[in-house]
Amino acid sequence: EHDVFFGLGVAHAQDRLGQMEFTRPVAQGRLSEILGESTVDIDVFFRTLGFQEKVTQSLPILSERTRNALTAYSAGVNHILSHPETKLAPEFSLLLHRPDPWQPTDSLLILKMMSFSLSTNMFHEVRRAQLMASMEIEKVDRFFPDGPSFGPTLPVSVTELYEQLDIESIQAALPQSWQQGASNNWVINGDHTMSGKPLLANDPHLELTTPSIWYLAHLKFPEASVIGGTLAGVPSVILGRNENIAWGFTNTGADVQDLYIEKANPENPNEYLTPDGYRPFSTREDVIKVRFGDDIPLTIRHTRHGPVLPDDWQQSKSFLEKDHVLALAWTALLDNDTTADAAIPMMTSRNVTAFREMTRKMVHPMQNIVFADTNGDIGFIAPARVPVRKKENTTRGLFPAPGWLSDYDWDGFIPFEELPQTTNPTNGKVITANNKIVPDGYLYDVTLQWEPGYRAARIAELLEATPKHSVQSFQAMQKDVLSPFAQKLLPLLANTRTESDQAARALTLLKSWDAQMAGDRAEPLIFAAWIRSLNQRLFQDDLADNFSRHWSFKPALLTKVLKNEDGFAAWCDNLNTESYAETCADILQQSLQQAVDELSSVYGANIADWRWDIAHMSIHTHNPLSNFPILKDNFELQIPAEGGFYTINRGGHYFNNKNPYANIHGSGYRAIYDLDDLNASVFLQATGQSGHMSSPFYGNFLERWARVEYIPMTTDPAAYRQNAAGTLILKPN
């Protein structure tokens, strides 16, 4: 086992050292030591979270097996770092930076950063509070029609407090670069397959990067042969299979973060109010070192809920009104983090029962895990620590809560046995796509912010359409680009009046469109541009300066507005035109014209020349060199792409971006596991194994990935040695 993890450390360091090195200092809050004062705010935030302190505390409580794996892996990384023939990736030379030796805690930091990218409720809480500061509670309630009602549940004391807070400044102080992960996975038992054994599919959706987040690897242990997707910096196959079992993840989106408004003592700023009176903040002194700049001393405060977000970040002391601060409670900041202890036992498990039991160690982030074994069993579990909120907690995790009231404290965590889970369901199928995974009446609030169920519904439809499935039918499903969202909304757009020939031509195309987000078609681009313009004309007047942060598809809200359910058509009236009350027909007409005008200015006047895949270019950004304009084009990878926000073959794009249709968030890894013949399984990651720009393996997977093609996922030496580029042999001294 030691040798295997040493070897994986060597492989990761050879191919992905740049990726590892520029993730580690972000988590440590040491990015300014490399990039200078421009990243001080980022360092202040991550020093405040205290990831480095947390992983240092958790390392000793991990099992001896896990600690040995982390130590062996670090030794492999450092073997490459210290080897005289090692050639570092170009980013090290460009930034004149030499990485420090890798430590076991650094691998735990990588896991913390993955959890940070998948846990975003703190940002949603601030955005809701921000809206409440500028809109009536009833209107905020109607802006989130697919969520719970806000108004009646908000306590008066918190409402009054919000009126005193500079919520806009709080939002400005938080990181802007965040996206909640999305993904698909599904598993079916042998009743639904041609072979009579289970099939499992998985494609996690995260930010598209160069190199890909995922690194393909095969680890041959004495007790198991494991193959799948690894994370550079972590000694484990995160997604994959061994000779007996296969598994796949999607993000649950669980609400595991709460913001607390803490009230400082006006007579003593070193104290804050608790249910038992004032008590001192706990403090930690730190120093941020800045390349080519002066050191910055930092005092980090903690309350009983967690770290206090720094009041001198971006807008100094204007985040909150006098004598109030904002603290964060988050399961990833718990002291007893045993998440890493789940990795080796999970990937070496022999059956679904043993696999499920090993997930008991997972603390964060909560994932929807589907699994299957060669015995024919299938299952699902969503393991992690999810806080239980008291019935008196009327914010239900949706807004920052008053920290001095015990009603808003967490009341333990959902017991493992009561987490969402199933083994061998009667219908022989499990599907998750960030949709709601618990039935109505489930005892606990996992989250109140489930993703729309479009992808899950489409997966279910395609599973039902084929009586007996194969690897090939699953490949066709992962390639599917039909948009159920477009299917649902198109009838509500069809009768729109047009004010130009160009708009009329565009509408005619949409009326006969089959809702396929195909790359060579103009219709997907027209539809996406229209929805973008429609959202802007419907909501910008109401949200004003807050609009750009909420500029998204809003499917539930759009549907209610265009159907005028419960008077939602009132959103169509533009508040800035007092002499005239716009109707939804007016807004549809205006937004269609705006969309075709904008598209014509960018792609030309001839609609026949418009193509979705060109506008929807898949952009795989490079960290950190995409931040340097003169280097960006040399290191980023781009390729035309199909799919859309709500298709199985997903391509996430964001309306408020400079390139509003660019695919920047999608399936960086795809895999299909055949439990009848596991060597017939297939997989692929999005770019290439190497992070060295000059390597032939820097982006050699990209074209196949865009076409949704695969390579064999075989552990048979005769198969993979046949076309090997070479063999590296590591010999102990």
Side-chain angles (χ1 to χ4, degrees):
E1 219 169 78
H2 176 280
D3 298 335
V4 171
F5 289 124
F6 181 93
L8 183 61
V10 168
H12 280 170
Q14 282 186 316
D15 290 335
R16 298 291 188 88
L17 188 59
Q19 185 179 50
M20 296 161 62
E21 175 59 9
F22 291 103
T23 302
R24 173 171 60 168
V26 175
Q28 293 172 321
R30 297 179 58 194
L31 198 58
S32 300
E33 295 178 26
I34 304 170
L35 299 180
E37 64 180 2
S38 64
T39 57
V40 166
D41 287 345
I42 297 173
D43 284 346
V44 169
F45 180 74
F46 281 100
R47 290 286 181 96
T48 299
L49 294 186
F51 282 171
Q52 184 66 58
E53 289 72 24
K54 291 299 179 183
V55 298
T56 301
Q57 292 169 8
S58 63
L59 182 64
I61 70 171
L62 298 176
S63 70
E64 182 179 6
R65 187 183 190 187
T66 299
R67 285 184 279 113
N68 287 342
L70 293 167
T71 300
Y73 178 86
S74 298
V77 175
N78 293 330
H79 176 75
I80 294 299
L81 271 175
S82 61
H83 199 283
E85 295 183 8
T86 294
K87 294 182 179 179
L88 297 179
E91 47 264 45
F92 291 103
S93 298
L94 289 167
L95 296 171
L96 302 176
H97 174 67
R98 178 82 185 183
D100 293 332
W102 196 261
Q103 304 294 333
T105 50
D106 294 337
S107 296
L108 302 180
L109 286 172
I110 301 295
L111 293 177
K112 293 285 189 188
M113 288 302 295
M114 177 60 78
S115 187
F116 177 74
S117 71
L118 297 172
S119 306
T120 60
N121 189 66
M122 62 182 291
F123 303 101
H124 296 303
E125 287 190 32
V126 169
R127 289 183 178 198
R128 291 191 187 92
Q130 183 182 17
L131 285 181
M132 288 185 61
S134 59
M135 291 170 58
E136 303 89 345
I137 291 179
E138 293 78 10
K139 205 160 193 176
V140 177
D141 190 12
R142 294 168 76 82
F143 191 67
F144 299 97
D146 48 350
S149 177
F150 302 148
T153 66
L154 202 66
V156 173
S157 58
V158 179
T159 304
E160 292 172 349
L161 188 58
Y162 283 154
E163 292 174 354
Q164 304 169 22
L165 299 179
D166 185 0
I167 299 295
E168 174 69 29
S169 297
I170 300 173
Q171 172 64 25
L174 296 172
Q176 297 298 305
S177 178
W178 63 273
Q179 301 296 345
Q180 180 171 314
S183 307
N184 304 315
N185 65 19
W186 64 92
V187 61
I188 57 176
N189 68 14
D191 294 341
H192 304 288
T193 68
M194 295 177 68
S195 69
K197 286 293 182 73
L199 284 170
L200 188 151
N202 185 205
D203 55 296
H205 309 157
L206 295 165
E207 181 185 3
L208 297 178
T209 61
T210 302
S212 166
I213 289 172
W214 302 101
Y215 181 93
L216 308 181
H218 168 209
L219 310 182
K220 182 68 169 67
F221 296 100
E223 64 180 287
S225 186
V226 190
I227 187 170
T230 69
L231 291 175
V234 179
S236 174
V237 171
I238 306 294
L239 309 169
R241 60 93 172 169
N242 58 34
E243 309 104 309
N244 302 99
I245 188 168
W247 64 95
F249 289 9
T250 70
N251 193 30
T252 311
D255 185 352
V256 294
Q257 295 174 329
D258 274 342
L259 291 176
Y260 287 91
I261 300 169
E262 308 282 15
K263 186 173 184 179
N265 185 349
E267 306 299 324
N268 182 355
N270 297 318
E271 295 180 339
Y272 70 100
L273 186 60
T274 76
D276 302 317
Y278 287 105
R279 73 165 67 166
F281 290 101
S282 61
T283 60
R284 185 177 82 249
E285 300 300 323
D286 212 334
V287 176
I288 294 177
K289 295 184 179 298
V290 182
R291 190 175 192 179
F292 310 121
D294 297 330
D295 292 353
I296 298 175
L298 183 66
T299 299
I300 299 167
R301 293 179 293 176
H302 280 70
T303 72
R304 63 196 185 94
H305 295 116
V308 174
L309 296 183
D311 60 5
D312 60 350
W313 186 26
Q314 291 193 7
Q315 296 199 12
S316 190
K317 301 182 183 301
S318 62
F319 297 171
L320 299 167
E321 287 293 316
K322 184 180 179 182
D323 302 329
H324 290 88
V325 296
L326 203 61
L328 171 66
W330 180 20
T331 55
L333 301 181
L334 295 173
D335 292 334
N336 55 342
D337 183 1
T338 58
T339 300
D341 269 343
I344 301 174
M346 283 172 61
M347 68 180 179
T348 57
S349 296
R350 296 291 184 180
N351 54 57
V352 299
T353 302
F355 182 90
R356 173 190 171 279
E357 183 60 25
M358 291 305 102
T359 66
R360 189 183 293 269
K361 296 283 189 179
M362 294 182 66
V363 175
H364 66 92
M366 192 181 203
Q367 297 288 284
N368 302 319
I369 308 177
V370 298
F371 42 90
D373 64 25
T374 53
N375 297 325
D377 296 318
I378 67 172
F380 156 79
I381 189 168
R385 298 268 182 90
V386 179
V388 175
R389 295 175 178 86
K390 302 174 184 178
K391 65 180 184 299
E392 297 86 2
N393 184 346
T394 51
T395 69
R396 299 180 71 187
L398 292 170
F399 298 92
W404 56 90
L405 300 177
S406 61
D407 289 350
Y408 298 89
D409 294 345
W410 289 353
D411 191 20
F413 304 95
I414 300 177
F416 181 81
E417 287 72 18
E418 297 180 46
L419 290 166
Q421 56 191 293
T422 184
T423 302
N424 293 325
T426 55
N427 68 349
K429 305 173 186 177
V430 180
I431 301 165
T432 83
N434 318 113
N435 54 298
K436 185 179 180 181
I437 60 169
V438 295
D440 292 341
Y442 181 66
L443 187 59
Y444 306 100
D445 284 339
V446 174
T447 180
L448 300 177
Q449 305 167 73
W450 302 106
E451 283 285 303
Y454 293 120
R455 283 180 284 117
R458 179 60 175 165
I459 292 167
E461 179 184 1
L462 292 176
L463 286 178
E464 188 66 26
T466 300
K468 298 289 184 180
H469 282 274
S470 64
V471 170
Q472 290 71 32
S473 68
F474 271 28
Q475 290 175 348
M477 289 177 64
Q478 287 191 334
K479 194 174 184 177
D480 186 74
V481 293
L482 183 135
S483 171
F485 169 64
Q487 273 187 325
K488 181 177 180 180
L489 210 63
L490 282 170
L492 304 179
L493 308 176
N495 296 322
T496 299
R497 301 188 306 267
T498 57
E499 56 185 74
S500 72
D501 292 341
Q502 186 82 322
R505 284 192 292 270
L507 185 59
T508 299
L509 286 173
L510 288 181
K511 285 181 178 180
S512 58
W513 180 42
D514 58 3
Q516 296 280 344
M517 302 293 287
D520 61 352
R521 303 280 292 275
E523 293 92 335
L525 179 55
I526 297 168
F527 177 75
W530 193 357
I531 299 304
R532 179 176 186 265
S533 175
L534 180 59
N535 273 278
Q536 185 178 29
R537 287 186 173 269
L538 282 172
F539 307 122
Q540 188 171 29
D541 58 318
D542 296 276
L543 274 62
D545 293 341
N546 298 326
F547 171 69
S548 64
R549 300 185 183 105
H550 297 271
W551 197 0
S552 60
F553 285 90
K554 292 286 178 191
L557 180 56
L558 274 185
T559 301
K560 283 183 171 289
V561 169
L562 297 181
K563 287 185 175 181
N564 193 21
E565 295 180 2
D566 303 320
F568 270 67
W571 287 101
C572 292
D573 182 25
N574 189 333
L575 300 181
N576 298 324
T577 56
E578 296 181 3
S579 61
Y580 176 68
E582 288 82 1
T583 66
C584 290
D586 296 328
I587 298 299
L588 284 168
Q589 180 180 8
Q590 295 165 10
S591 58
L592 175 58
Q593 188 62 50
Q594 177 182 334
V596 297
D597 287 346
E598 290 176 355
L599 294 177
S600 297
S601 68
V602 176
Y603 302 104
N606 187 359
I607 293 181
D609 293 336
W610 297 355
R611 289 178 60 107
W612 174 238
D613 58 358
I614 301 303
H616 193 55
M617 188 73 67
S618 177
I619 300 176
H620 303 252
T621 57
H622 185 282
N623 181 32
L625 298 184
S626 284
N627 298 309
F628 298 86
I630 60 174
L631 300 172
K632 177 178 179 179
D633 293 341
N634 293 317
F635 285 86
E636 279 190 355
L637 293 174
Q638 299 188 17
I639 195 167
E642 297 192 309
F645 219 96
Y646 297 112
T647 60
I648 297 176
N649 182 7
R650 184 177 180 273
H653 56 100
Y654 298 93
F655 288 158
N656 62 351
N657 281 4
K658 181 180 178 181
N659 298 320
Y661 313 112
N663 178 12
I664 59 175
H665 198 269
S667 305
Y669 173 89
R670 297 189 185 102
I672 298 169
Y673 306 91
D674 185 349
L675 277 297
D676 179 58
D677 178 5
L678 281 163
N679 280 335
S681 304
V682 295
F683 64 165
L684 196 73
Q685 52 100 325
T687 57
Q689 292 286 83
S690 179
H692 295 258
M693 184 187 68
S694 59
S695 168
F697 308 107
Y698 186 68
N700 60 310
F701 289 152
L702 188 63
E703 291 187 1
R704 277 182 284 187
W705 171 82
R707 295 192 298 265
V708 193
E709 297 175 353
Y710 307 80
I711 60 174
M713 189 193 293
T714 179
T715 58
D716 179 6
Y720 60 70
R721 286 176 180 160
Q722 186 175 13
N723 296 308
T727 302
L728 172 67
I729 298 175
L730 303 172
K731 295 182 178 180
N733 292 329

